[in-house]
Amino acid sequence: MARTRWTIGNWKQNLLRGAAEELATAVVSDLPEPVAEGGKQVRVGIAPSFVALDVLRPWVRPQGPLFLFAQNVAAQEEGAFTGEVGPDMLRDAGVHGAIVGHSERRTLFGETDTTVARKVKLALEADLRVVLCVGEGLEVRESGNHESFVISQLSAALSQLPHELMNERLILAYEPVWAIGTGKTATPRDAAAMHRSLRAWMEKHFGSAGADRSILYGGSVKPNNAAALMAVGDVDGFLVGGASLEAEAFLQIVRLVVSAA
Ligand code: PEP
């Protein structure tokens, strides 16, 4: 079966509720048919702030065309953890999944590989989807150790995961940190090499259940570079930050993901 293609907008700490509603309305009013040529399954997700999640509810699956993601999820099920939002709370709020291990959470909020691994396991156990982000910083890229670094992040993040939880709910995102919000993008060749390594590792450790996972690219994806990145065999779509805050730019990226061969 063909791998599912995703375009997921990460709105980060942007947009008050009114602006979130306006942007979601503009995106939904022009979304292309969600099936790519050849019957490939194509999905579109939005990750607004926690307080705007309910604003997007009218358009979420199964009634509507959007999948709804939180930008984070707690590393514990429930209890005395002030400020945290647990996986069951997200599911109860009608949210489909969560972004886990985004580089901003790792670098700005001190999330460790161990925390990321717990979040991945708990969220998948709660039947949420997980967009697991991995990616190297500039120093690691320049040292030439980027592949082993990213594979070790992936291996750590999945270290607590029982094989039965390896299914389509897990989505990977390769996001080189030096390309996030900087206007620099990995070349299609760089992305191809990393995505190939990630898929090979997934197959080695989880068999076809691992190899069939969607692997998204993220890092300054824009309408003018999305087609070349989609042409790379192992890129199954995008996690989009800045460009997801403009309806037309995001829609153009979605269209490129839908129409890519
Ligand atoms: C991101 O934050 O996940 C991201 C890819 O951001 P940007 O597209 O702005 O680089």
Side-chain angles (χ1 to χ4, degrees), residues 8 10 12 99 102-104 133 175 179-184 217-222 239-244:
I8 301 175
N10 174 10
K12 308 194 184 190
I99 298 174
H102 191 281
S103 63
E104 286 154 15
C133 302
E175 297 210 304
I180 294 180
T182 59
K184 291 183 189 149
Y217 171 80
S220 296
V221 174
K222 310 278 179 224
L239 181 55
V240 185
S244 71

Side-chain angles (χ1 to χ4, degrees), residues 26-121:
V27 167
V28 169
S29 65
D30 228 359
L31 266 186
E33 277 299 305
V35 172
E37 280 163 38
K40 295 189 182 85
Q41 197 163 34
V42 180
R43 291 176 169 170
V44 176
I46 300 283
S49 69
F50 280 119
V51 292
L53 282 165
D54 68 311
V55 170
L56 274 80
R57 283 290 302 276
W59 298 293
V60 303
R61 290 277 177 197
Q63 299 87 355
L66 287 184
F67 286 79
L68 198 51
F69 289 84
Q71 296 173 18
N72 188 20
V73 61
Q76 50 287 320
E77 278 161 282
E78 62 178 347
F81 303 103
T82 302
E84 293 289 279
V85 178
D88 285 343
M89 291 171 170
L90 290 179
R91 216 202 35 237
D92 183 50
V95 174
H96 297 102
I99 298 174
V100 174
H102 191 281
S103 63
E104 286 154 15
R105 300 233 42 100
R106 292 179 192 256
T107 56
L108 303 175
F109 300 100
E111 263 186 30
T112 62
D113 281 343
T114 311
T115 314
V116 170
R118 267 194 75 68
K119 290 183 175 194
V120 169
K121 179 168 181 278

